[in-house]
Amino acid sequence: MSNYPGPLVLVVGPSGAGKDSILSAAREHLREDHGIVFPRRHITRAVDAGGEDHVPETEAGFQRGLEIGAYALSWQAHGLGYGVPAIIEVDLAAGRTVVVNTSRSVIDAARERYIGTQVVHVTAPADVLAERLSARGREDAADITQRLRRQAEAPIGAHVWDLVNDAGLDDAVQRFLRILADIRAVSRAVSGAMGAARAAS
């Protein structure tokens, strides 16, 4: 387990909760803050497939990345491979805050690997999620119902911050920024206390 001074912030939540929109806006708000980074995920999806700005990988390239330890965290979802680049450990070691959109399936692995892991759970009322998923036009009503049922369970454990995105994007972004500020303040306090303890020993 690695005890880096910088916190790793995992942003999780069901499809339709608005994670990508919140992260995109937060990244823009914090673009001059060099103490926080939003790494690009590696995904086995074409660069022109739409959605987030990511590093496209072939299936073979992604598998090779897994074999050589190129990813700090990785998972499979909806037929795609996702990887968070291992270079984030350089940022964490430098005390920077790393914020990344991940699957809930990697929370336990992240907690085991990085002591400073924090989880921001973004969600919205079921009817809002259903409406947003329907507006995307990718799934029918039965698929949406099944997806919502699978994703209903919230993460448990320590260091989970809940953000209900039900009052508009601007409001959700401001609340997300306040959560990040609180996480960073706590992280600095813990790092300072540990440094003082080491100096006294």
Side-chain angles (χ1 to χ4, degrees):
M1 180 179 286
S2 300
N3 187 15
Y4 293 116
L8 173 62
V9 182
L10 308 182
V11 181
V12 304
S15 297
K19 300 185 300 295
D20 287 336
S21 297
I22 291 171
L23 282 169
S24 178
R27 185 185 299 110
E28 181 63 21
H29 274 278
L30 298 167
R31 65 184 181 279
E32 301 299 329
D33 187 339
H34 302 298
I36 188 166
V37 295
F38 297 81
R40 294 167 70 203
R41 301 190 299 182
H42 291 233
I43 309 176
T44 54
R45 180 171 61 198
V47 69
D48 58 354
E52 69 181 276
D53 179 22
H54 65 283
V55 178
E57 293 282 3
T58 63
E59 293 286 350
F62 186 78
Q63 185 60 40
R64 176 60 177 161
L66 293 175
E67 293 170 356
I68 65 175
Y71 307 124
L73 299 167
S74 62
W75 65 96
Q76 297 281 335
H78 312 300
L80 298 174
Y82 293 79
V84 178
I87 193 68
I88 66 168
E89 294 185 356
V90 173
D91 292 307
L92 294 172
R96 288 185 281 272
T97 301
V98 174
V99 184
V100 63
N101 180 0
T102 67
S103 165
R104 283 171 296 181
S105 66
V106 301
I107 291 176
D108 288 343
R111 285 170 169 164
E112 290 177 3
R113 188 165 184 175
Y114 306 106
I115 290 177
T117 297
Q118 305 277 331
V119 179
V120 179
H121 179 227
V122 181
T123 189
D127 59 333
V128 175
L129 293 175
E131 182 179 348
R132 291 173 181 168
L133 289 172
S134 178
R136 297 196 311 190
R138 301 176 189 171
E139 299 151 314
D140 60 26
D143 290 333
I144 290 173
T145 299
Q146 184 177 17
R147 179 185 285 270
L148 292 176
R149 187 179 297 116
R150 288 199 309 268
Q151 298 179 137
E153 186 176 344
I156 60 175
H159 309 302
V160 175
W161 307 70
D162 290 314
L163 196 169
V164 180
N165 181 14
D166 60 352
L169 179 60
D170 289 343
D171 176 80
V173 172
Q174 290 305 314
R175 282 187 283 152
F176 182 65
L177 292 173
R178 287 195 294 270
I179 288 172
L180 289 181
D182 288 344
I183 288 173
R184 297 173 79 185
V186 170
S187 177
R188 286 192 294 269
V190 171
S191 294
M194 293 178 63
R198 285 194 295 267
S201 60

